[in-house]
Structure formats: structure tokens, C-alpha cells
Amino acid sequence: MSAATLKLMTYNIHCGVGTDGAYDLQRLGGVIRRAAPDLVCLQEIESNTVERQVRKFSVRHADDQPSVLAQAAGLGFSSFAGFLRAYFDGRSGGSCDSGEVLTRCEDG
């Protein structure tokens, strides 16, 4: 029996704004597509139904970024979850240390 592999990508898209200040979801989708992951976990992603600026470092847009990025990256499925509070080995925190286990998460 051979072991299956899963290619995981985690990517902070900074609300779709690149280091050059340009809002370009197609460019970000290309980065994801070229990496060819099986599963992508994105941070600082937004799903707006009306044009608005959610964060001070974002731009005004009415994009459903998960759907736009999934299409641009050639992914067949996307799902979006809002802010979650994660608990690692029983403690709440924004990050985990190597080897820590995610014990639960809840809506923030």
C-alpha cells in the first residue's frame, strides 16, 4: 500500500492587494494555479456583497474573493469561513507552535 500525499498551500493574500499596492485577484489566482495545490488555505480574504472597504489596508470592492480566486486558480470548489478563534492544546491563540494540536475552533 502506498501513502497518499496532499499538497497544502497557505497564503495570506492581504485582501487582494499586492506588495506593489495593486488589487489584482487574477494575479493571485495565477500564483495559486502555478503552485498546483490540492488544498489552499487563504488568510485575509474577503467576501463582499456590496462595494465597500472592510479593512484599512484593503480597497473598495464588491468581490466574492473566494469564488473569483477559485475560478482564476482553476480550482473546482471554494468555501469561505469568517473569523475563527483557534485553540491549540487547550489555549487560545492566533498561531501555533510546531507539534501543537488544534483542539477546537469557534466563530470569532
Side-chain angles (χ1 to χ4, degrees):
M1 176 185 256
S2 65
T5 59
L6 175 73
K7 188 173 182 182
L8 173 68
M9 177 181 188
T10 180
Y11 189 13
N12 185 331
I13 67 160
H14 300 284
C15 306
V17 179
T19 56
D20 60 356
Y23 179 77
D24 190 345
L25 297 180
Q26 297 301 314
R27 177 174 60 182
L28 295 173
V31 171
I32 296 167
R33 186 177 56 256
R34 286 187 298 279
D38 297 309
L39 177 65
V40 183
C41 299
L42 301 174
Q43 296 83 45
E44 295 184 11
I45 188 165
E46 300 172 340
S47 184
N48 293 349
T49 56
V50 296
E51 186 169 310
R52 65 188 183 137
Q53 182 175 352
V54 177
R55 297 175 176 101
K56 66 180 179 182
F57 50 84
S58 183
V59 297
R60 288 187 64 80
H61 68 85
D63 295 325
D64 176 14
Q65 292 180 345
S67 296
V68 173
L69 286 169
Q71 184 176 16
L75 302 174
F77 176 78
S78 68
S79 180
F80 176 77
F83 175 77
L84 296 175
R85 181 169 308 285
Y87 293 85
F88 299 97
D89 288 334
R91 71 169 178 80
S92 173
S95 62
C96 65
D97 294 325
S98 178
E100 282 191 306
V101 175
L102 176 66
T103 55
R104 79 176 202 276
C105 62
E106 58 191 41
D107 289 342

